[in-house]
Amino acid sequence: MTVGVLLPVAIPFVAAVVTLIASERYARLITYLAAGSTGLATAWIVPQVVGGVAPSVRLLPLVPGLDLALRVDGLGMTFGMLAAGLWVITSVYCAGYAEATHLANQKRFFASFAGSVGAAIGVAFSGNLLTFLLFYETLTLCTYPLVAHNENRESIASGRRYLLYALSGGLAVTVATAWSWSLAGTLDFTEGGFLAGKASEPVLTVLFALFLGGCGVKAAIMPVHAWLPAAMVAPTPVSALLHAVAVVKAGVFGCLRVLGFVFGPEALEGSMAPMVLAALCGTTIVVGSVLAVAQDHIKRRLAYSTIVHLSYIVLGGALMTPLSMTGSIVHMVNHGLAKITLFFCAGSIYAAAHVDKVSELGGLGRRMPWTFGAMTVASLGLMGVPGLCGFVGKLLLGRGALEAGQWVYLAIMLGGSVFTAAYLLPILKNAYFEGPATAKSGEAPVAMVAPIVAVAVLVVVFGAVPAVMGVQHALAAGVAAGVFGGNP
Amino acid sequence: MMQFAAERGPYYVFVVLMVLGVYLLLTHRSLLKNFVGLYLMQLGIVVFFISIAVRVGGSIPVMLGEGHDVAVHNPVPHALMVTAIVVSVATLGVAIAILLRIQKQQGSIDEDVDEAEDPEGGS
Amino acid sequence: MSTLPTWMFLAPFLGALLVGIAGWSVRGLVRPVALGAMALTCGLSVAALLGTLGGEVLVTHMGGWPAPLGIVWSVDRLGAFMSVVVAFVSGVALVGSRATVRAELEGRETGFYTCALLLVSGLLGMTATADLFNFFVHLEVASLSAYALVAAGGRGAPQAAMRYLIIGSLGASLYLLGVGFLYADMGSLNMRDVAQLLPETDGRLASLGAAFMVVGLAVKMGLFPLHGWMPSAYGRAPFASGAMMAPLVTKVAAYGLVRMLFWVFGYERLQGGLLLEVLCWAGAAAMVVGAGLAFFQRDLLRLLAYSSISQVGLIALGVGLGNVSARTGAVLHIAGDGLMKGVLFLVAGALFVRHGIRKVDDLGKLRGREPLLSATVVVAGLSLVGIPPLVGFFGKWYVLVGALEAGRTEFAALIVIASLGTVAYVFRVLEKLYFAPRTDALPPAKPGGAMAMASAAVLAVAVVGLGLASSVVVQSFLMPAMEVP
């Protein structure tokens, strides 16, 4: 079964290389093939992981005693499936977007995209910190050309800022990894962590800061979040899959991995560090929500929304209870589904009507029924309306806060939901209830609308279909149980 | 006095040569003078090596016939210094060749113009 | 007794002689003869590597004189490793220099190839010898060749070469003085002999000698703050010379430092002492300052020179820290940076020949014109930054782990700062290559540079390959190589 684990990581990278070598005409075809096969290969492993087996493979030694190793457990499966599955849908959307906006440099675009997805799946499937680091840095490098894609001054500046933030974060993780290696002699992700008792309290605290600071950059926790709104200059499919799903979720994933599989409840017992992290997340939720309301540029508003929801997820990890961690993992997926829908819609609005500001959305709702229908569904989902995907995650997170006795964070979470409504509903209001359309347009091309509808359907499926929700919950709860060893 | 010269003299010669050489090297006027300073330093080192080859009451290290229990001066440093002098001369040769090239390029070997042509970020 | 060590040094030396003869009679034979000699040298170094794989040491007693009377040559695993690196990188660089030699050194090929081969013979002599004075001789042979190679350039090159000569000879003299002190104390020049005799002395002369030797080697390495000769020397040298010299000369001097400190003086004796401490801080300063200054350079070769200063700093830090992990990282980085700089100097030469580009800002005009060269720059650049699984990451990793194991977190922090600086100058170059705005069309590329591109590609593949194989190399070869018997 080793091949089964390797394929989802290898196929995207191979596709990236092939895309670069082949003619630009084939770029989209290669992407479809790669995305399809990666999705299938990833889905293939799901039954095993759900059944409790964690397939793994050791590829090659990187350092004596440390291999490039892949190991797919519940957490990795969840993130991997999210990335691989959404790539399938996004590849169709990319094609439509590229067509509609006459995207330049398509070879570089599609190759970088494939590389980024491969790196994200690599992050998901990493079995130890060094492998994680390798794919984490690769992710930064593959996404950089996408951020700077438009090559105007804004894009280049954003690209530089992104690199600076992301590589600095990567360096922090590198130092922390080297340190952990010298302290513990192993870097394998272990349920419940492997650092307990290996170093003194101050050293563990510094390590915590380095790891969470480093991963926190990609997870856009304040104050290292500033790269994300700036990165919105990238083409919308980039913002959608990568900056709403793959890159930021890699950061969040990293935080959860470190919290549960490097440190663990035992090592963090009595430490102030998780509380500090929680406080930062709480602050991010509050400040981010306010900033989101203030944004007129649609994608920037969505970017701040992403920042807020990422902090929800990390907060769940920081609270260190089984329920909150389960909630984090569930919300990681559900937020991704809803957010990608919203970004897709933003992209189609731009492609069809050349509108990118909330204030200019007047009346478009009737002219673009599918787009805004999906947007409504996703917005309601993100607000936590029962029956749609956001509800379960938020419920678990709230219960987790209660379990940890942290009423403040429960209040913050609820407040965040209110604010979510506050910044998402006006979009819909402008679209549906403002006067006749100020911009004339029709619906976006089918190649863009079909994926939008598909992800909107997923938003519903993950909120209302017991079979799917059951599997998702089982995986997440299984991870939490492993981390906490069954202790409440 | 003679004994002092014999015992400590060489070391002082060595020191004098080194200091003179360093002085010339640091008072950075012309490349040729710098090189002369360097050469002096190398001579100083030669003197140093030779001075440690001396054995009290020793004689020339040429063995004639059998059964010599006489102390001889250590010939190894002398051999080493011959090599070192060769290296110095070779360096001198390369330096002169370079100076000739400088002269051909800019007409004189007076100032080190490298700085003037090479402002902070490269010309 | 094996004669392989001496043949490694003799092959290029005799090659230089033959090149001289060829140059005098049949001009066209100069390059083939030189390349033939290099090929032979590479073969010999590989043979040495194979011969020492299991830990055997290849020993030659010159003239049959037994140690410690005679001059002994000895190639152990570390020496064989260095020989292969030197032979391979210089061989590939020489192959890739056809176009740059034609462009800048027309009519002087004989001189160039002679000096290049003498340089290689000197470097290999340094790696193979076990005698302190013999090391000095080879050091100077290599250095003199290097001075000549630099002086052959255009405007400003002879001045830079003169500066290099003066500072370099000063360093060599200091090294020689250090050897003198050791000889005065112990009466032997054989490395192993000195190592055995050291415990019996009272250590004062030996410490003085050590200090002089280290300073001398530091000058040859270009370790901050004794690096003043490097930016001009690398910046003004002809591209062909740069490709030969830059990746190797400083690295072999660094090897010399490793050999002296660990094999002759012994780590246990030096541990916790002032010498290693100063070395660590000089290295750390070099890393940070080199990376920082590299960012501001407008000339491509000067940027590479400051990058080398930074990488040498990392190597020095690894040596200074001294524990197993750190010194392994230092040696791995010697090889790694040799490869990386080889790629970059070859690419610089190719860009000059094909487009006349010397400045970093002009790289922007290349948009999409040189995919192969740009790709190799990406590989070498990312390796410099330290992205796994490229070889540059692993050198840094081992030194980083070494610093943390030794409890010197301040050096870990400085490595991070230097890495950020490296990110800055590497991505400045990459940004220009890939994301600069499309400007007016550059005239079409002049033909040539095919060998340079192929050579750069070969070295880039080696950067990736050595990185992927680094664990195996480290575990089975380098770590045992660093164990001092």
Side-chain angles (χ1 to χ4, degrees), chain A residues 62 64 151 156 160 163 175, chain C residues 367 394 398 416 427 431 435:
Chain A
L62 289 171
E151 292 180 20
I156 301 222
R160 274 191 205 155
L163 264 186
V175 174
Chain C
R367 274 301 303 264
F394 290 105
Y398 287 109
V416 169
F427 276 95
E431 211 187 71
F435 294 101

Side-chain angles (χ1 to χ4, degrees), chain C residues 22-340:
Chain C
W24 185 62
S25 48
V26 184
R27 272 296 177 80
L29 275 182
V30 164
R31 188 172 152 88
V33 170
L35 290 179
M38 280 310 308
L40 180 59
T41 313
C42 286
L44 290 170
S45 67
V46 169
L49 189 69
L50 293 173
T52 56
L53 265 183
E56 305 85 28
V57 179
L58 304 168
V59 179
T60 308
H61 297 287
M62 294 293 264
W65 292 99
L69 284 177
I71 298 176
V72 177
W73 291 54
S74 137
V75 176
D76 62 358
R77 271 186 274 222
L78 180 62
F81 180 75
M82 286 301 305
S83 310
V84 169
V85 171
V86 168
F88 178 63
V89 174
S90 59
V92 172
L94 209 58
V95 167
S97 295
R98 185 178 63 183
T100 42
V101 166
R102 202 182 310 138
E104 287 183 298
L105 297 168
E106 188 77 56
R108 295 181 284 162
E109 297 92 350
T110 314
F112 171 75
Y113 284 105
T114 310
C115 287
L117 284 171
L118 284 174
L119 175 70
V120 173
S121 94
L123 292 175
L124 286 174
M126 282 166 77
T127 61
T129 187
D131 183 281
L132 292 171
F133 186 79
N134 198 237
F135 185 87
F136 165 76
V137 173
H138 289 292
L139 179 64
E140 284 302 78
V141 167
S143 299
L144 286 174
S145 314
Y147 308 149
L149 284 171
V150 171
R155 188 175 57 130
Q159 289 89 334
M162 195 64 196
R163 191 141 164 231
Y164 183 17
L165 184 149
I166 291 174
I167 299 178
S169 299
L170 181 61
S173 305
L174 290 175
Y175 172 84
L176 185 59
L177 192 56
V179 171
F181 283 120
L182 284 183
Y183 184 74
D185 205 9
M186 281 167 277
S188 173
L189 292 167
N190 182 295
M191 287 188 198
R192 176 173 302 179
D193 212 34
V194 169
Q196 284 169 344
L197 288 171
L198 256 180
E200 298 162 21
T201 69
D202 72 2
R204 285 180 305 167
L205 267 180
S207 307
L208 199 55
F212 276 112
M213 285 168 72
V214 168
V215 172
L217 287 172
V219 168
K220 293 291 187 183
M221 266 168 78
L223 180 61
F224 182 90
L226 302 168
H227 65 285
W229 55 270
M230 268 177 83
S232 315
Y234 286 9
R236 305 290 196 173
F239 286 93
S241 303
M244 292 285 296
M245 271 175 42
L248 295 173
V249 172
T250 52
K251 307 304 176 322
V252 180
Y255 153 82
L257 189 66
V258 170
R259 189 62 91 183
M260 302 301 157
L261 286 179
F262 295 122
W263 269 261
V264 176
F265 296 108
Y267 178 57
E268 298 73 34
R269 197 168 301 119
L270 293 169
Q271 198 174 14
L274 186 61
L275 186 60
L276 289 185
E277 189 68 20
V278 169
L279 200 55
C280 283
W281 285 105
M287 272 195 315
V288 175
V289 170
L293 287 177
F295 181 72
F296 293 104
Q297 297 306 311
R298 290 203 291 272
D299 183 79
L300 187 55
L301 289 179
R302 281 182 76 98
L303 185 147
L304 293 179
Y306 280 104
S307 171
S308 293
I309 293 173
S310 180
Q311 302 307 312
V312 165
L314 180 68
I315 295 170
L317 177 61
V319 173
L321 286 168
N323 55 35
V324 175
S325 185
R327 56 172 109 154
T328 308
V331 173
L332 185 60
H333 207 63
I334 285 179
D337 193 53
L339 290 173
M340 295 189 274

